[in-house]
Amino acid sequence: LVIAMTLVAALGSIVYAMSLPPIYKAESLLLPPKSIDVQSLNVLGVNRLSGDMNLQEVDTKSVFTVFKKNLSSRTLQKKFINEFKLMEILAPERTSETRDEDIYEDFAEIIKVNNGDGLSISIELHDPNVAAQLVNDYVQFIDSETIKRIVENKHNAITNQIRDIEYQIASKRQMAKQRREDQIASFKEALTIARKLGVEERVDTTNVVQNNQLNISTTSIPLFYRGTRALRTEIEILTNRKSDDPFITGLRDLQENLALLRSININTERLYSVSIDQAAFPPKNRFKPNRRMIAVVGTIIGLFLAIFLAFFVTFVKNQRETLLHKKP
């Protein structure tokens, strides 16, 4: 009985192990990007020239962190499946009742991200070529999406900075125009006073200050002391002024910053968020199932069950014989 059941269990385990389809594991090893890979994202030169711009530095560590987060993004996984048209590959026996969400969940389960000593990503499939191709395509896709989002964020930051500077420039110009109009109004009022007082030429105010024993730095000289001739000339010049820009404090610095921001051109062709240490290749040997282990474990389990059954049969037989002997 023990031998027979052990043989049956061994044969059953072998048949079961041989019936399981082979699964292959394709894996890619990844490293952080090099400094040159993110060089175009940094605008530190602009920051040093302008001094007051608030544009954050982008380094390899921060870029690689974003890449690792995107590897597990369900949104990007769905986009990857749809763009590469993987529905038929992931669900070859798909029916009308099969939901897209179920396929997305299955794909999320076969994508394995190992962030131990080094970052690696792997996929287990029945076709080794398809598994390797999926891994490489997925890494490239996530790399592209990561760069796209980082560049988009950088462009948004630059756009916001440009908008703020444009607001400052417009505000300064508006206030300069208002101050010029106020100055013209003051000169016109002083001209009226000078005409009524008969002050045509500029009045020498040195004696006035000395006679009043006032400090010239704190003395406010009335505008009509300039005389009607000078006041008319100043009013005419201020009225005919075409631009207030040369007289606005700090305007040229803002315009320089604006020109620097507008000149920023991020070249995305040589931007990478990851370095591929080893690309995935089609494996020759299956990853699972371990048919030998299945056969051995099945045989051992069959042996123990057979021994247990043998003892149980013997126990039942002995109990039956005992009952027969006790009968009169």
Side-chain angles (χ1 to χ4, degrees):
L1 179 62
V2 171
I3 294 175
M5 287 197 62
T6 303
L7 290 176
V8 170
L11 292 175
S13 301
I14 294 173
V15 171
Y16 173 74
M18 296 301 295
S19 65
L20 294 175
I23 296 178
Y24 299 89
K25 179 180 179 181
E27 185 177 33
S28 179
L29 305 180
L30 308 174
L31 294 174
K34 304 179 181 65
S35 298
I36 194 174
D37 295 335
V38 298
Q39 187 174 4
S40 299
L41 291 172
N42 290 318
V43 288
L44 297 180
V46 175
N47 288 340
R48 286 195 293 268
L49 289 174
S50 62
D52 58 353
M53 291 185 184
N54 186 21
L55 297 178
Q56 296 182 354
E57 178 185 0
V58 177
D59 56 11
T60 57
K61 184 178 180 180
S62 61
V63 172
F64 194 52
T65 300
V66 177
F67 173 82
K68 289 190 289 185
K69 290 181 179 179
N70 289 339
L71 280 176
S72 302
S73 171
R74 293 297 179 91
T75 302
L76 291 180
Q77 288 176 359
K78 293 179 182 179
K79 186 176 180 180
F80 173 73
I81 293 173
N82 293 325
E83 286 191 4
F84 283 79
K85 300 178 180 179
L86 301 178
M87 286 294 190
E88 297 299 329
I89 296 177
L90 298 175
E93 300 179 357
R94 183 182 182 184
T95 63
S96 58
E97 298 179 354
T98 305
R99 300 187 308 164
D100 291 346
E101 291 298 327
D102 294 335
I103 300 176
Y104 296 145
E105 290 290 337
D106 293 340
F107 182 77
E109 292 179 359
I110 65 173
I111 288 284
K112 305 294 183 182
V113 179
N114 183 10
N115 196 13
D117 296 335
L119 180 65
S120 66
I121 179 172
S122 62
I123 290 180
E124 299 175 7
L125 284 178
H126 302 303
D127 191 327
N129 296 314
V130 174
Q133 187 67 37
L134 279 180
V135 171
N136 293 328
D137 289 344
Y138 187 68
V139 171
Q140 185 177 1
F141 173 79
I142 297 297
D143 177 31
S144 176
E145 289 295 320
T146 301
I147 292 298
K148 186 184 299 182
R149 293 189 177 189
I150 293 176
V151 171
E152 183 179 352
N153 292 336
K154 181 65 69 173
H155 279 152
N156 290 337
I158 293 174
T159 301
N160 293 336
Q161 197 78 19
I162 289 175
R163 186 181 62 251
D164 292 342
I165 294 177
E166 288 176 342
Y167 287 160
Q168 293 181 50
I169 292 176
S171 176
K172 282 182 175 292
R173 283 174 172 166
Q174 181 65 30
M175 293 307 300
K177 180 182 178 182
Q178 186 65 49
R179 290 190 182 98
R180 178 164 56 87
E181 292 175 352
D182 293 343
Q183 195 174 12
I184 292 174
S186 299
F187 286 157
K188 286 182 177 180
E189 184 180 87
L191 178 61
T192 302
I193 297 173
R195 283 174 180 172
K196 291 184 177 181
L197 295 177
V199 181
E200 184 176 351
E201 299 295 334
R202 179 181 293 276
V203 176
D204 187 3
T205 59
T206 304
N207 294 331
V208 176
V209 175
Q210 290 176 349
N211 292 335
N212 291 326
Q213 296 181 354
L214 297 174
N215 189 340
I216 193 171
S217 62
T218 60
T219 301
S220 177
I221 306 300
L223 288 176
F224 68 85
Y225 273 33
R226 301 187 183 188
T228 57
R229 184 179 177 183
L231 288 171
R232 282 195 299 269
T233 302
E234 292 192 60
I235 291 172
E236 181 181 0
I237 291 175
L238 289 174
T239 303
N240 296 329
R241 179 185 289 175
K242 295 182 179 180
S243 175
D244 295 317
D245 288 1
F247 309 95
I248 301 176
T249 304
L251 178 65
R252 299 309 182 193
D253 292 335
L254 290 175
Q255 289 177 331
E256 181 184 8
N257 292 344
L258 187 61
L260 287 170
L261 286 171
R262 287 174 173 171
S263 66
I264 295 175
N265 183 22
I266 301 176
N267 185 9
T268 58
E269 293 181 357
R270 297 183 178 181
L271 285 176
Y272 302 98
S273 61
V274 64
S275 295
I276 299 177
D277 186 32
Q278 176 180 299
F281 58 90
K284 295 182 179 180
N285 300 322
R286 65 177 182 275
F287 177 68
K288 58 183 181 181
N290 190 336
R291 293 171 177 169
R292 180 178 299 178
M293 180 63 66
I294 292 175
V296 171
V297 172
T299 302
I300 294 175
I301 293 176
L303 174 62
F304 281 103
L305 288 176
I307 294 173
F308 172 78
L309 183 60
F311 279 107
F312 181 75
V313 170
T314 304
F315 173 76
V316 172
K317 184 178 180 181
N318 291 335
Q319 290 295 326
R320 183 180 298 175
E321 292 179 353
T322 302
L323 293 174
L324 292 175
H325 287 304
K326 288 183 178 180
K327 288 182 179 180

